[in-house]
C-alpha cells in the first residue's frame, strides 16, 4: 500500500496531538505511559514529537485512557485550530464604505 504524503493540516494536527499528550503525561515517564498503554516507548516518542502525525485510533485510545483523557477532549483540542481557520475563511469580506465604488 502506498501512503500519500501528509497535508500541512495533517502535520499540524499531529504536532498538536503530540503537544497535548506531552502536557497530559506531565512528570510521568514516557516508558511508564507507553508500557501502561501497551505500546512501545518509541511509538509514543514518535507520536509526541509529531513524527507520526496520523497514529492508529486504537493507539490513541490506549494512550488517552492511560492519561485519563477522553477521546472527545483529544479531538476537540487537536481540531480547534482547524475550526478557527475554517471559521475565518467563511467570514464574509466587508468593505469600508469609503472604498465602495
Amino acid at each position: 500500500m502506498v501512503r500519500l504524503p501528509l497535508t500541512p493540516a495533517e502535520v499540524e494536527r499531529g504536532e498538536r496531538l503530540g503537544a497535548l499528550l506531552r502536557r497530559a503525561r506531565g512528570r510521568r515517564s514516557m516508558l511508564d505511559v507507553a508500557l501502561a498503554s501497551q505500546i512501545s516507548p518509541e511509538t509514543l516518542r514518535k507520536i509526541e514529537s509529531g513524527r507520526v502525525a496520523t497514529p492508529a485510533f486504537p493507539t490513541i485510545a490506549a494512550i488517552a485512557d492511560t492519561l485519563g483523557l477522553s477521546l472527545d477532549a483529544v479531538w476537540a483540542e487537536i481540531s480547534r485550530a482547524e475550526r478557527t481557520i475554517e471559521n475565518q475563511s467563511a467570514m464574509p469580506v466587508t468593505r469600508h464604505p469609503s472604498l465602495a465604488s
Side-chain angles (χ1 to χ4, degrees):
M1 178 172 129
V2 175
R3 188 172 181 125
L4 297 175
L6 298 173
T7 66
E10 289 170 325
V11 171
E12 286 181 34
R13 189 180 318 122
E15 291 170 352
R16 287 191 303 274
L17 173 63
L20 170 65
L21 296 179
R22 281 192 308 276
R23 285 192 312 270
R25 183 167 55 83
R27 299 177 71 101
R28 291 178 69 177
S29 76
M30 193 175 286
L31 179 62
D32 289 341
V33 172
L35 293 177
S37 303
Q38 298 183 346
I39 63 170
S40 74
E42 183 60 20
T43 297
L44 181 57
R45 184 175 294 108
K46 287 178 181 178
I47 294 169
E48 283 191 0
S49 69
R51 288 188 298 167
V52 175
T54 57
F57 177 80
T59 302
I60 294 306
I63 298 168
D65 184 53
T66 298
L67 296 175
L69 296 171
S70 76
L71 291 174
D72 287 336
V74 171
W75 180 249
E77 178 72 22
I78 66 172
S79 63
R80 179 179 304 156
E82 291 171 5
R83 285 193 309 272
T84 301
I85 292 168
E86 288 171 2
N87 289 341
Q88 288 174 347
S89 65
M91 292 173 54
V93 176
T94 57
R95 295 182 150 208
H96 189 277
S98 65
L99 299 176
S101 48

